[in-house]
Amino acid sequence: MIKSMTGYGNAEGVSGKLEISIELRSVNNRFLDCNIRIPRVYTAVEDGMKAMVQKYISRGKVDVYVTIDATKSDDVSISVNEPLAEAYMAALNKLSEKFSFANDVTALALARFPDILKVEKLEADADTLGDDICGILENALKGFNEMRVREGEKLYNDISSHGDEILRLTDLAEKRSAVTVPEYREKLYGRLMEVLNNKDIDESRILLEAAIFADKVAINEEVVRLRSHVSQLKHLLDKGEPVGRKLDFIVQEMNREANTIGSKGNDGEMAKIVIDLKAEIEKIREQVQNVE
């Protein structure tokens, strides 16, 4: 079954004491364009996440949003820059002796000097974190794909119905083409009667003109190809793989055949059929833009 390129999925999980939430959205695009939005400190896991996305999605613009809550984590250390602290204390003692001040420096006062205390975030196990994030992402992708399949069913039904209408209009065009030659022959005969004032008319000349006209307006080849394109369209819709690009190509070919039929048509009824035919093809083209 075909899938839509548009969808949404989300999942939550944990890695150690980190709480992780992932959302992903996609819209139409000719190729796969995956953007990972994750806090800078965790960007090392991006490559693994993109590889996971490629397993589930072949086409579309995908935005993945990763939120990581580390408020419950205790992976923080505070260290003292002892050489700097000693240098500050030596300078303060010197000031105290020079100006006869009481040296009342406390640990809290010393800690307020720049760079005395250094806060560091302990490095998490990158492999474990990457595996955990990718596992959560995979859960989000599964929900995302379920939504795309549901949308794909709607696209399948809509495209199939337009394909059936194209076949019906193709039958009408074929039937109309069959009667245009006799009608042309009658019109030609009537005009010659008017011009020649009912004098003898060369029947062979009428037949020759009608034969030339019949060859000029024949749409047999276009009708055969158009039906073949609709058959290929339906076959691709039933395949369980990404077929959006192939469908787009087939729609272009269908439109080309409709244009040729329109250029060969020579009356209002055929023109109306061709307009309806092209309208149905355009409806398929619009829907195919959403197919992966």
Side-chain angles (χ1 to χ4, degrees), residues 249-288:
F249 176 75
I250 289 176
V251 170
Q252 293 179 38
E253 294 301 306
M254 292 169 67
N255 196 57
R256 183 177 289 111
E257 303 303 339
N259 285 333
T260 304
I261 293 174
S263 67
K264 290 184 175 183
N266 70 324
D267 66 353
E269 187 172 343
M270 181 65 86
K272 182 181 181 303
I273 293 173
V274 171
I275 289 172
D276 291 342
L277 189 60
K278 293 184 70 172
E280 292 299 317
I281 294 172
E282 178 62 19
K283 290 174 184 177
I284 290 180
R285 189 194 67 80
E286 291 174 355
Q287 294 292 47
V288 164

Side-chain angles (χ1 to χ4, degrees), residues 10-287:
N10 70 298
E12 296 179 350
V14 296
S15 178
K17 294 185 178 181
L18 298 177
E19 296 183 355
I20 301 168
S21 174
I22 297 179
E23 291 184 42
L24 63 151
R25 309 171 188 271
S26 69
V27 294
N28 302 349
N29 199 54
R30 290 187 63 191
F31 307 101
L32 177 59
D33 179 13
C34 180
N35 297 300
I36 308 291
R37 313 294 173 85
I38 189 171
R40 185 181 298 274
V41 69
Y42 302 107
T43 53
V45 304
E46 279 191 26
D47 289 343
M49 294 180 68
K50 287 185 176 180
M52 178 64 69
V53 169
Q54 290 173 353
K55 288 173 58 178
Y56 284 82
I57 307 170
S58 65
R59 199 159 73 115
K61 185 178 186 305
V62 185
D63 290 314
V64 182
Y65 302 90
V66 184
T67 302
I68 298 179
D69 183 357
T71 56
K72 296 181 181 179
S73 176
D74 55 4
D75 56 349
V76 173
S77 70
I78 299 176
S79 59
V80 178
N81 189 335
E82 293 185 8
L84 183 60
E86 290 173 357
Y88 274 125
M89 282 301 300
L92 291 171
N93 288 331
K94 187 174 182 179
L95 286 173
S96 176
E97 292 173 2
K98 184 174 181 63
F99 297 102
S100 300
F101 292 151
N103 192 346
D104 56 356
V105 179
T106 63
L108 180 60
L110 184 60
R112 289 174 178 170
F113 283 97
D115 301 324
I116 292 296
L117 298 181
K118 184 178 180 181
V119 180
E120 293 180 310
K121 184 176 180 60
L122 298 178
E123 290 294 330
D125 185 330
D127 291 339
T128 299
L129 178 62
D131 290 343
D132 291 341
I133 289 179
C134 285
I136 298 167
L137 174 60
E138 186 166 23
N139 290 334
L141 283 165
K142 289 177 181 178
F144 171 79
N145 262 359
E146 290 174 1
M147 179 178 179
R148 293 201 302 146
V149 167
R150 290 194 297 270
E151 292 297 316
E153 290 176 357
K154 297 177 183 178
L155 292 173
Y156 177 94
N157 293 331
D158 192 59
I159 293 173
S160 294
S161 66
H162 292 308
D164 292 338
E165 181 63 11
I166 287 172
L167 291 177
R168 187 187 73 82
L169 292 168
T170 301
D171 290 342
L172 290 179
E174 186 177 40
K175 292 176 183 177
R176 182 57 194 163
S177 179
V179 301
T180 54
V181 175
E183 288 180 356
Y184 174 78
R185 184 178 181 281
E186 292 300 322
K187 288 179 181 178
L188 181 61
Y189 188 85
R191 289 169 186 164
L192 290 175
M193 288 285 287
E194 292 177 6
V195 173
L196 299 176
N197 295 322
N198 294 321
K199 294 181 180 180
D200 291 337
I201 299 174
D202 186 354
E203 288 289 338
S204 63
R205 182 63 181 175
I206 296 289
L207 292 174
L208 178 61
E209 290 290 341
I212 293 173
F213 177 79
D215 184 63
K216 180 180 177 181
V217 301
I219 61 170
N220 301 45
E221 293 181 6
E222 289 76 18
V223 164
V224 169
R225 285 196 291 266
L226 198 49
R227 287 175 176 149
S228 175
H229 293 330
V230 173
S231 176
Q232 293 177 57
L233 181 84
K234 293 193 172 187
H235 173 69
L236 288 174
L237 289 175
D238 289 328
K239 296 186 71 173
E241 60 185 52
V243 293
R245 293 177 189 171
K246 292 180 181 179
L247 291 175
D248 189 54
F249 176 75
I250 289 176
V251 170
Q252 293 179 38
E253 294 301 306
M254 292 169 67
N255 196 57
R256 183 177 289 111
E257 303 303 339
N259 285 333
T260 304
I261 293 174
S263 67
K264 290 184 175 183
N266 70 324
D267 66 353
E269 187 172 343
M270 181 65 86
K272 182 181 181 303
I273 293 173
V274 171
I275 289 172
D276 291 342
L277 189 60
K278 293 184 70 172
E280 292 299 317
I281 294 172
E282 178 62 19
K283 290 174 184 177
I284 290 180
R285 189 194 67 80
E286 291 174 355
Q287 294 292 47

